[in-house]
Amino acid sequence: MYLIRKEIIINKYRQGQISTEDFFIKLIEEEKKEKRESVEKKALEKLNKLIGLKRVKKVVEEIIAVTLVQKIRKEKLLKSEPVVMHMIFKGNPGTGKTTVARILGEVFYEMNVLSQGHLVEAERADLVGEYIGHTAIKMRNHVKKAQGGILFIDEAYSLCRGGKKDFGKEAIDALVKGMEDNREDFILILAGYKEEMDAFLRSNPGLKSRFPIQIEFEDYNLDELISIGELMLKDREYKLSLGAKKKMKDVIEKNYKRDRYIGNARMVRNIIEASIRNQAVRLKKTNKYGVEDLIYIRKEDINKGEING
Ligand SMILES: Nc1ncnc2c1ncn2[C@@H]1O[C@H](COP(=O)(O)OP(=O)(O)O)[C@@H](O)[C@H]1O
Ligand SMILES: [Mg+2]
């Protein structure tokens, strides 16, 4: 890709379309991009490492492929469709929406689609103001902060929660304006529960047409939740003793059966983080810090696991 782009710049310079100064600036920019493109592509690996999410992964791969191909077409001076990358994520809490959004930012950064690839998370309290005009300012600031990356608005429908007297309309108008003013190097993701999201889009048809990409995050099944727990421990360099393994499964299963929709992967994370804290307290008490001691979580470190967000 780098060579094509460099060739285009050289041709432009030869044809007198750009000044010498611009020529060098652009060449340096290309060098930077090339460096970024040649580093190992880590983000896609991260996405694929996530447990389950089969459909999400498929849609994400399509988006990535289309974006890449359109970019190359443009560089080869072929007709290219601008890819609108604003998205809607629908799903219950703990189904991986924020995690996938963050990885997408990294993927698009590695692909040179976004210049920074960072994720700015916001919700109603961050975006809706207290007096007329305040909301527009708050929204504008967040869009600005997310320039070069992704603005992720959780429970987006709550922006117009308060009915007519609320600043909801101002919020939506400001959002639309933000999208129009920032067509490049900016992605907006609206997330939330499926039903609420669908109703929200139905009541704002103007908004709906701006989000061609909608991704549904399904609840995890029990096996996936257990695998997610194992992955979380592995990432943190912890292991479960045999007894702990059985207890962890039991606790996850019990929580899952009690309410399979509340918590999802977040419930698993809470259980794991509590176990890590309990192990730390145990180690401190016994004053034993061998590598094995540090790595292994024992049965007694695992709580029953409360569902709390
Ligand atoms: N498929 C998955 N594989 C591994 N970990 C996951 C997966 N989905 C979610 N997690 C983890 O579960 C936690 C909650 O996920 P999050 O992205 O915050 O969910 P949401 O934004 O939908 O509420 C995070 O720590 C995340 O890393
Ligand atoms: Mg989230």
Side-chain angles (χ1 to χ4, degrees), residues 129-140:
E130 273 128 42
Y131 50 86
I132 291 173
H134 194 195
T135 304
I137 297 171
K138 284 183 133 188
M139 194 69 86
R140 202 178 324 130

Side-chain angles (χ1 to χ4, degrees), residues 71-259:
K71 212 162 134 21
I72 296 177
R73 285 182 64 101
K74 196 172 170 191
E75 282 169 3
K76 298 215 177 190
L77 305 178
L78 288 168
K79 268 191 186 162
S80 65
E81 291 286 315
V83 188
V84 182
M85 284 180 299
H86 304 307
M87 303 175 205
I88 303 280
F89 283 8
K90 300 179 201 169
N92 288 325
T95 48
K97 299 183 296 296
T98 305
T99 306
V100 169
R102 186 164 289 124
I103 294 175
L104 264 179
E106 292 172 24
V107 170
F108 286 136
Y109 170 77
E110 288 180 353
M111 286 170 62
N112 271 317
V113 171
L114 291 174
S115 61
Q116 313 288 327
H118 61 305
L119 188 78
V120 175
E121 286 186 73
E123 51 183 37
R124 185 189 154 91
D126 307 308
L127 299 170
V128 175
E130 273 128 42
Y131 50 86
I132 291 173
H134 194 195
T135 304
I137 297 171
K138 284 183 133 188
M139 194 69 86
R140 202 178 324 130
N141 286 342
H142 275 84
V143 171
K144 208 166 138 196
K145 224 162 72 184
Q147 260 305 306
I150 299 179
L151 178 59
F152 182 93
I153 304 184
D154 219 356
E155 306 216 25
Y157 32 81
S158 66
L159 289 179
C160 32
R161 190 173 54 190
K164 286 221 166 61
K165 266 191 235 141
D166 193 45
F167 294 121
K169 188 173 176 311
E170 196 180 321
I172 304 296
D173 289 348
L175 202 57
V176 169
K177 181 153 191 325
M179 292 166 84
E180 300 211 316
D181 294 348
N182 300 277
R183 284 171 186 275
E184 275 178 27
D185 207 14
F186 171 70
I187 297 177
L188 177 65
I189 299 181
L190 303 185
Y193 291 97
K194 182 180 183 325
E195 283 73 28
E196 277 93 332
M197 217 61 211
D198 287 340
F200 173 65
L201 293 174
R202 266 198 308 275
S203 60
N204 292 280
L207 206 55
K208 189 176 177 190
S209 61
R210 293 170 195 273
F211 292 90
I213 304 166
Q214 302 204 9
I215 307 184
E216 277 189 39
F217 290 69
E218 285 167 47
D219 291 310
Y220 294 114
N221 62 36
L222 182 58
D223 285 340
E224 285 170 336
L225 289 175
I226 291 169
S227 303
I228 286 173
E230 286 166 355
L231 180 68
M232 285 175 174
L233 283 166
K234 198 170 153 222
D235 280 348
R236 291 165 171 78
E237 287 193 4
Y238 281 91
K239 284 183 181 167
L240 296 172
S241 71
L242 269 181
K245 216 173 216 169
K246 183 167 180 331
K247 187 157 178 205
M248 182 74 75
K249 276 187 187 173
D250 288 348
V251 170
I252 292 176
E253 184 169 2
K254 224 160 122 199
N255 276 297
Y256 176 76
K257 285 194 171 146
R258 185 154 30 138
D259 191 336

Side-chain angles (χ1 to χ4, degrees), residues 34-46 106-107 109-111:
E34 194 219 358
K35 245 191 212 149
R36 204 197 283 171
E37 276 165 11
S38 64
V39 297
E40 250 181 289
K41 300 283 181 278
K42 285 261 157 58
L44 255 186
E45 254 169 60
K46 267 195 210 168
E106 292 172 24
V107 170
Y109 170 77
E110 288 180 353
M111 286 170 62

